[in-house]
Amino acid sequence: MTALIEARNICVRVGGQEVLHDVSMQIAPREIVTILGPNGSGKSTLLRALLGILPVSHGAVSQRPGLRIGYMPQKLHIDRTMPLSASRFLSLPGRHTQAETQAMLTRVGVPEVADRPMTGLSGGQFQRVLLARALLTRPELLVLDEPTQGLDQPGEAAFYRLIDEVRDETGAAVLMVSHDLHVVMSASDRVICLNGHICCEGTPRVVSNAPEYRALFGLGTQGALALYQHVHDHDHTHDDHTHDHDHAHAHAHDDKHGHHHHAG
């Protein structure tokens, strides 16, 4: 198969509840794909299923034989009592040499942090060290779960530029989960809009104009805010939704439509 990784009609149940229903997708070599969706839409669950960490209750996930994956988790807790330097942290999983770890820290833009404790790094530095660790495996597929969480907008934009450069230099495909609507749109070849199932997918331009995307995320500059507050399931008819999407709605769509969201 030409795809690096493929899901065919997968369903995933967590705690007895179906979190993902009938999801099919694939990642091609060198492609940057972003999964977007509100809280509880199953984004991280889909990543974990694709990586084989979570079992699927229906369907199948296949990976190209011998596929090298670099994974950057959403959260990583470092013991604050353990004086672990950035270079030591990078040498732990694969016993990389000091020259290799220093070269990778330089490549991701933080050569100065090698001897600093991980617990003393800024949010942006910490994320770049996590990226360096993922890249040390020389991945064919780089998987990033909310990689810019906690970064300000300039920090987000710089991080996505770095991801694009890494793809161009290494030829790695990139699969990201994100909620950074506006920045991530310009950083992706293809966007998958998820809310328990795939609502729409395509190029950023196509997806951002799709009614399903607008139903989930609202319109205009309020989109990022609406992402968390406007989480109604758009499977229902929209006849009763004549309200203006430019304001954030926090009223209880879930109760009205009997749709319950589960943590992703």
Side-chain angles (χ1 to χ4, degrees):
M1 67 185 212
T2 54
L4 299 179
I5 197 163
E6 181 177 13
R8 292 184 301 279
N9 309 108
I10 66 168
C11 300
V12 178
R13 300 181 73 83
V14 177
Q17 299 285 346
E18 188 171 79
V19 179
L20 293 176
H21 177 71
D22 197 27
V23 171
S24 295
M25 61 171 289
Q26 59 180 24
I27 311 294
R30 299 188 69 91
E31 190 178 29
I32 296 183
V33 177
T34 298
I35 301 169
L36 284 176
N39 271 353
S41 60
K43 301 187 300 291
S44 293
T45 299
L46 177 54
L47 277 198
R48 292 197 290 267
L50 290 171
L51 293 171
I53 300 169
L54 275 180
V56 299
S57 57
H58 180 270
V61 174
S62 52
Q63 295 182 6
R64 200 175 73 184
L67 179 66
R68 292 192 309 279
I69 297 175
Y71 178 50
M72 182 174 161
Q74 185 176 137
K75 291 188 179 71
L76 188 69
H77 298 289
I78 302 285
D79 186 346
R80 299 196 72 83
T81 63
M82 193 163 73
L84 184 67
S85 71
S87 57
R88 177 81 183 118
F89 170 76
L90 290 181
S91 70
L92 285 177
R95 301 189 185 282
H96 300 286
T97 68
Q98 191 170 357
E100 286 174 322
T101 58
Q102 186 60 53
M104 193 57 76
L105 287 173
T106 301
R107 176 60 201 92
V108 299
V110 286
E112 72 282 1
V113 306
D115 297 322
R116 293 188 197 166
M118 288 292 290
T119 53
L121 302 184
S122 70
Q125 290 169 334
F126 193 90
Q127 295 302 87
R128 285 172 184 249
V129 172
L130 288 186
L131 176 62
R133 185 171 79 153
L135 289 173
L136 278 168
T137 64
R138 308 213 177 281
E140 297 161 281
L141 174 63
L142 189 58
V143 178
L144 313 174
D145 192 355
E146 300 271 14
T148 60
Q149 206 168 33
L151 303 187
D152 59 16
Q153 204 150 10
E156 288 177 10
F159 190 90
Y160 288 127
R161 278 196 302 274
L162 175 60
I163 294 297
D164 200 29
E165 291 169 9
V166 164
R167 185 266 302 263
D168 290 343
E169 288 172 16
T170 67
V174 182
L175 175 62
M176 290 189 282
V177 156
S178 183
H179 63 266
D180 308 311
L181 282 183
H182 305 297
V183 183
V184 86
M185 283 304 221
S186 62
S188 307
D189 297 321
R190 186 157 54 96
V191 174
I192 294 172
C193 185
L194 190 74
N195 194 19
H197 60 283
I198 292 179
C199 314
C200 54
E201 65 175 305
T203 63
R205 182 183 293 274
V206 167
V207 167
S208 61
N209 287 315
E212 297 90 345
Y213 170 87
R214 295 190 168 189
L216 264 190
F217 303 127
L219 298 173
T221 56
Q222 293 298 311
L225 176 64
L227 177 60
Y228 287 101
Q229 293 175 313
H230 188 147
V231 293
H232 74 270
D233 180 18
H234 49 271
D235 258 356
H236 57 72
T237 59
H238 289 272
D239 297 341
D240 58 340
H241 286 266
T242 56
H243 48 237
D244 180 5
H245 280 268
D246 277 347
H247 70 278
H249 354 309
H251 46 57
H253 275 292
D254 286 1
D255 296 337
K256 183 176 179 182
H257 302 295
H259 182 87
H260 302 286
H261 294 276
H262 307 282

